[in-house]
Amino acid sequence: MHISSLASPYGIGTMGRAAYEFVDFLHAAGQKFWQLLPICPTSYGDSPYQSYSTYAGNPYFIDLDFLSDWGLLNREDYCYIDWESDATHVNYGAMYFKRYPVLHKAVDRFLELHSENPWEEYDRFCEENNAWLEDYALFMALKDVHQGAPWSMWKTELRNRDEAAIAQATAENKENILFWKVVQFFFFRQWYHLKTYANEKGVQMIGDLPIYVSLDSVDAWAHPELFQLDENKVPKEVAGCPPDGFSADGQLWGNPLYDWEYMETTGYAWWIERIQYLCHVYDTLRIDHFRAFDAYYAIPYGDATAKNGCWKEGPGMKLFRAIEEKIGRQPIIAEDLGHLTDSVRQLLKDSGFPGMKVLEFAFDSRDANGNEYLPHNFVKNCIAYAGTHDNDTINGWFNEADPSDTYYARRYLRIAEGEELNWAMMDALWATVADTAIVQAQDLLGLGSEGRMNTPSTVGNWTWRAWPGAFSWELADRIREKMWLYKR
């Protein structure tokens, strides 16, 4: 469950009181992990997999009540704002236009206090995160100057990061650069407080590393040499997935592809720094689209679908050996879903990372790998899911899937007439040999398709929120009893 999905009176879930209450719920329910989507800022389509930065935190998740507790806001600064959302969905448009004016007030007050009595914690944050923070703050300030336009549309000097142009832009946008730095301080101060609280309750945070970055990101702007861009910094090819049983056109993500040959000459320094950083932010790290490290799908830039793409060789174990050599073995989960081949399976085996098993896929006749997801074929070194954020909820799947698939699922899982479908499938998951089993919050709540977080290759996603009080002590007791029953 993502932070955005927590209950909140201010339009979106935050790292505030509801987050701490959710940790208490997990602890009471006997849970050891809280898995999140990427906590980075969102850009196009509000997707956490299309972000302006691989390092920064999402300003929407900063809790306004906590800023008030710090003396940086008055409650009237935000309590009477109409966030134009209901209790179960986020309105990202309203967030974009209404959240930042409130954060500006908090930053202004912070800078006043900082000038009178410096917050050493802020200065230390800036120093420790200097490697990414300066570029990010300048990038966001320049996006403000250009009314949100992507960096590819900026004037040539800024697009190419001409030294004199960057120095001038930095001087001219000093105040706004400072704003974006302070906002990140707010975010990570709240994040680490929440993470510490969760860890003290025996709950670890599983974070998510999107394999690709957005073209309109500080990562691509500041380090274009890392990507397959032409002399005008336009992608030669872009990322996606080929057509399959789920999509006749495939998935066209549009992210720039990495220049793996160049990265190898640097010893994969960018990847090492990225993974080391995120393994500090989280307790365990899920690497999205792991199969692309074996071979990645490249689609000609400008194509309307993914049909004309082709597979190209990735870095394989060279990357992961370099990472382990530099920073040691890290707690990593490999999202090894999608078009699987023998070489992908071998890469997973060689890495030693646990892969993912998705129970819904086991019964989906469109999935060529379905047999691998049947519970009797699970291995201990895996993370078992009923479904992920890209899948329908359990109840939604039973309502929307092909009747022959759901019939097979009912037979295989021995679901009795009238039995709660979500609990029957979760029981099967918890009963497997998988070392770790993770379920969606929506499935614990028994929601249908209205609770689905994302439908790939569509718009209007990432909005679901839990209603206030949904995670009750009665529900926690029921889950804890299941943990006792299945010795989890």
Side-chain angles (χ1 to χ4, degrees), residues 377-394:
N377 288 325
F378 283 12
V379 295
K380 284 184 67 65
N381 187 34
C382 77
I383 315 295
Y385 295 80
T388 75
H389 61 274
D390 285 332
N391 304 123
D392 208 338
T393 64
I394 292 173

Side-chain angles (χ1 to χ4, degrees), residues 148-159:
W151 66 266
S152 58
M153 296 177 63
W154 299 352
K155 65 180 182 179
T156 304
E157 294 83 359
L158 291 176
R159 191 168 67 245

